Amino acid sequence: MNSILLDILRLMFWGPMRKLISHLNPAYSFSIAKAIAFFAYHILNGRRKIISEEIRASIGREWTSDKIDKTVFDSFKISIRSQLMMFYLPRLNYSNINEYISIEGLGFLEDALSTKKGAIILNPHFGPFMLIMPALHYRGYRVNQIALQGEPPWKKRKWLDKKGYDIKYATIEGNIPVNFINTSAGPHSLRAAVNALRNNEILLFPSTGRGGTALHTVNLMKRKVALSIFPFKLALRTGASLLPASVCCDGSMGKVIIEGPLNIRDDFTPEELTERYAEVLDYQVTKNPEHFLSYLYLIHNISLLGEPPFFID
């Protein structure tokens, strides 16, 4: 599709459409998402092809073409729904959070915090993954998010392209109730993460992110992936609990699923813990691949610009 047309559509999506849909009941907005996904699936041929290739190269090696096509379409639908959920961020507060985002497994988090050593939640780029931040904050928890923050990459963009991303940045990142710990700050970020856990707070870690240099190769989706060992080193150092989590589209709202804690022994290495987590992550993404494929598409495009790919085999 013509890049200027895409820029216009993006600007309309994050501008007038966002303002309109944010006033609708989520059930209605997700009906709109299905329609948008239908057109996007048939128009964005390049995206559809890349996602299909990602499936065939990993979990879909023995799938039928019909199953692959359905999963690709579902990935479009989940991607649109995930973005529409972001429209509601300014409306969320302490009194209405249950109407928008539910949480399963909250008892695991309570048990972890009862040790007074904090909790590290491993949150992959899965579905509307950012919703875990308001879901926890507006339930009274102190939440910190590990992030690699520099100048937003679209700051160098021009004209409509930049304006669309500027609106998105201001309406989403600017409305997320979380304390960001910027890993680009070096040793300061490590001290901030340790202090958060010592204060018995929650530390969210983007477990499928591409940042960092301390990586360990694991099996995921029948392929090889390098995951950061940072949260596992931190857990061994501080005694904090490690809780795998995911965020999925559930009915007319988002749903956070917190898994039981990873078993940690003193003789474990960070690499061993990474491998144990990879088994949980593999289950999450192979059970609901449509929630993860849009991220694979994003990483595929970024890798064309010289960034590390997701799969390394």
Side-chain angles (χ1 to χ4, degrees), residues 145-160:
Q145 168 73 45
I146 292 288
L148 179 60
Q149 293 178 306
E151 183 180 53
W154 56 89
K155 287 299 182 182
K156 297 180 180 179
R157 298 175 185 263
K158 298 179 180 180
W159 199 40
L160 291 176

Side-chain angles (χ1 to χ4, degrees), residues 173-212:
E173 283 82 352
N175 283 287
I176 297 178
V178 67
N179 175 47
F180 282 102
I181 297 177
N182 187 1
T183 57
S184 65
H188 175 75
S189 61
L190 176 59
R191 289 195 295 271
V194 171
N195 288 336
L197 295 174
R198 286 176 176 170
N199 291 333
N200 202 33
E201 299 175 7
I202 296 170
L203 188 66
L204 295 174
F205 186 84
S207 55
T208 50
R210 303 289 79 214

Side-chain angles (χ1 to χ4, degrees), residues 80-81 90 154-155 159 173 217 292 294:
I80 298 297
R81 287 187 59 175
W154 56 89
K155 287 299 182 182
W159 199 40
E173 283 82 352
T217 301
F292 194 64
S294 291

Side-chain angles (χ1 to χ4, degrees), residues 31-55:
S31 295
I32 296 173
K34 292 180 182 179
I36 297 175
F38 176 83
F39 287 106
Y41 176 82
H42 288 91
I43 293 174
L44 302 179
N45 297 325
R47 177 173 180 145
R48 189 172 69 239
K49 179 181 178 182
I50 290 170
I51 294 177
S52 295
E53 290 173 349
E54 291 287 0
I55 296 175

